[in-house]
């Protein structure tokens, strides 16, 4: 594909009303759509890589969606409605604070499950590490994530601890950053990119809207202070509350990576790892190989996905 004055390739940063804000090279273009027919059944999503035509009057319109990889979707709300939250996502970073506020582990688990269901990488950021006695140590309760195979980064937006490691994880990738309000998401981004100038509390905050939580994603070019942007951070307000519906129990249990080696050991093929006899997952919990707390989160999400929440 050749870019010239009339044909550009870019990435959709955000969508507001009918306007698509596309980053093409260094320029942010305000684009319209060339019409649904041309784009097929796909609706343009934030994160999409698109072809843009510049018309004679100088206006821009999207003419094509380029193939997607790594799509963050909404699960099971309705088969007919648009399920894509953001396209071309590499990873989901679940941010929690080691204290103040105390970590909401089920929220972290929910975010990691959303990542697993879509085949995206997950990582855990334990921020405000400056508030505990041993800032470098794996904070209480976060060991379950390391045991499950996730990278856990202890960070402090205040002291700068762990920011180099976080930067290395964000560089060159498209990362959804989500978590409870007040854990320091905006502060971390400001510490990494002083030019961004986010208001503290700005990332991820929009009101929870019950069942049909609106998740309007927006991409921010990511580049550490002084470096050219080479990745994107994705803000997805409401994602941390996004409920799961109609997710198959087997799929949900596979979304807990530490359960996987034990799933073949359940007596019943359709075991939901609740009260069933000879359940491989529960045996693993008793043997201390699987975290009881993660299993409780699994049970909560299972009930929710069955419509019981
Ligand atoms: P957000 O809602 O997740 O974006 O969180 P904010 O970035 O708005 O931070 C919430 C509060 O926590 C603010 O008062 C920050 O100054 C404070 N904060 C953020 N990061 C840290 C940190 O690493 N250590 C400490 N001690 N406070 C922090
Ligand atoms: Zn089982």
């Amino acid at each position: 594909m050749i870019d010239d004055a009339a044909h550009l390739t870019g990435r959709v940063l955000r969508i507001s009303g009918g306007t698509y804000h596309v980053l093409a090279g260094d320029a942010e273009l305000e684009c319209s759509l060339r019409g649904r027919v041309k784009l097929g059944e796909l609706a343009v999503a934030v994160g999409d890589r698109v072809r843009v035509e510049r018309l004679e009057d100088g206006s821009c319109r999207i003419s094509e969606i380029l193939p997607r990889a790594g799509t963050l979707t909404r699960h099971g709300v309705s088969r007919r409605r648009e399920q894509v939250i953001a396209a071309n996502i590499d990873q989901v970073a679940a941010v929690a604070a080691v204290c103040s506020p105390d970590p909401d582990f089920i929220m972290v688990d929910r975010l990691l499950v959303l990542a697993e269901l879509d085949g995206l990488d997950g990582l855990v950021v334990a921020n405000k590490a400056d508030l505990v006695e041993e800032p470098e140590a794996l904070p209480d309760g976060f060991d379950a994530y390391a045991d499950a195979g996730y990278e856990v980064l202890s960070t402090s937006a205040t002291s700068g601890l762990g920011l180099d490691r976080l930067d290395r994880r964000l560089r060159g990738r498209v990362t959804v950053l989500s978590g409870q309000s007040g854990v320091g998401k905006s502060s971390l981004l400001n510490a990494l990119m002083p030019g961004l100038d986010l208001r503290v509390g700005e990332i991820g905050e929009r009101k929870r809207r019950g069942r049909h939580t609106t998740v309007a994603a927006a991409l921010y070019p990511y580049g550490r202070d002084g470096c050219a942007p080479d990745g994107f951070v994705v803000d997805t307000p409401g994602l941390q509350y996004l409920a799961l519906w109609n997710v198959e129990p087997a799929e949900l249990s596979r979304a807990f990576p530490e359960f996987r080696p034990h799933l073949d050991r359940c007596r019943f093929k359709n075991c939901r790892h609740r009260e069933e006899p000879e359940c491989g997952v529960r045996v693993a919990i008793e043997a201390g190989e699987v975290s009881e707390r993660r299993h409780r989160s699994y049970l909560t999400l299972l009930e929710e996905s069955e419509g019981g929440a």
Side-chain angles (χ1 to χ4, degrees):
M1 261 171 305
I2 297 165
D3 283 3
D4 54 37
H7 301 91
L8 303 161
T9 309
R11 198 183 285 257
V12 179
L13 297 179
R14 60 185 191 283
I15 303 172
S16 56
T19 305
Y20 297 77
H21 299 259
V22 176
L23 184 70
D26 291 337
E28 195 178 317
L29 311 171
E30 292 189 4
C31 305
S32 60
L33 268 193
R34 183 160 159 185
R36 289 238 162 189
V37 184
K38 189 74 191 171
L39 296 173
E41 287 304 300
L42 278 182
V44 177
V46 166
D48 264 326
R49 297 180 57 245
V50 292
R51 289 289 283 168
V52 172
E53 314 172 313
R54 202 193 285 275
L55 307 181
E56 272 172 18
D57 64 2
S59 68
C60 294
R61 68 183 185 188
I62 294 173
S63 58
E64 190 186 347
I65 303 178
L66 299 177
R68 288 174 177 166
T71 302
L72 183 68
T73 59
R74 180 190 300 272
H75 288 268
V77 174
S78 149
R79 288 272 163 248
R80 271 169 302 158
R81 263 215 269 141
E82 183 53 64
Q83 302 288 309
V84 176
I85 295 168
N88 301 311
I89 302 298
D90 295 309
Q91 56 186 2
V92 174
V95 188
V98 296
C99 61
S100 175
D102 283 341
D104 181 343
F105 288 121
I106 185 156
M107 195 179 277
V108 173
D109 295 330
R110 182 186 298 280
L111 289 166
L112 294 175
V113 163
L114 290 172
E116 295 287 342
L117 290 174
D118 288 328
L120 309 172
D121 285 341
L123 73 140
V124 178
V125 178
N127 191 40
K128 306 202 186 185
D130 56 288
L131 298 179
V132 293
E133 259 175 43
E134 289 182 78
E136 312 263 356
L138 202 54
D140 282 350
F142 288 81
D143 46 337
Y145 299 113
D147 292 346
Y150 294 105
E151 186 175 7
V152 180
L153 297 176
S154 289
T155 62
S156 167
T158 312
S159 77
L161 175 84
L163 293 186
D164 288 342
R165 279 178 74 199
L166 181 58
D167 171 58
R168 278 199 295 276
R169 251 329 269 247
L170 298 180
R171 243 185 244 175
R173 304 203 215 186
V174 185
T175 309
V176 166
L177 196 77
S178 187
Q180 206 180 343
S181 144
V183 296
K185 298 178 296 295
S186 318
S187 304
L188 283 170
L189 290 179
N190 280 329
L192 289 163
M193 294 189 284
L196 191 62
D197 224 3
L198 282 171
R199 263 175 291 132
V200 161
E202 193 163 359
I203 285 276
E205 291 323 306
R206 237 165 279 174
K207 272 260 178 294
R208 179 180 183 167
R209 293 246 205 100
R211 279 215 150 199
H212 301 286
T213 306
T214 328
V215 184
L219 258 66
Y220 297 91
Y222 174 77
R224 197 166 185 184
D225 195 17
C227 303
D230 64 351
F232 293 90
V233 170
V234 190
D235 184 23
T236 48
L239 186 73
Q240 67 273 35
Y241 300 114
L242 193 68
L244 300 171
W245 285 287
N246 305 321
V247 174
E248 289 297 321
E251 209 189 340
L252 184 64
S253 48
R254 292 196 63 77
F256 287 76
E258 71 273 43
F259 291 8
R260 286 178 205 154
H262 309 290
L263 296 173
D264 292 344
R265 302 196 186 122
C266 297
R267 177 164 152 201
F268 298 108
K269 254 196 131 145
N270 62 351
C271 183
R272 300 196 169 185
H273 327 299
R274 240 180 206 138
E275 303 283 310
E276 293 92 337
E278 293 172 50
C279 166
V281 173
R282 287 175 45 230
V283 168
I285 294 168
E286 259 143 57
E289 288 168 35
V290 161
S291 142
E292 197 174 354
R293 210 211 67 242
R294 288 266 293 165
H295 182 251
R296 278 203 303 278
S297 286
Y298 159 78
L299 291 176
T300 304
L301 295 175
L302 177 67
E303 215 169 282
E304 182 177 293
S305 70
E306 291 170 336

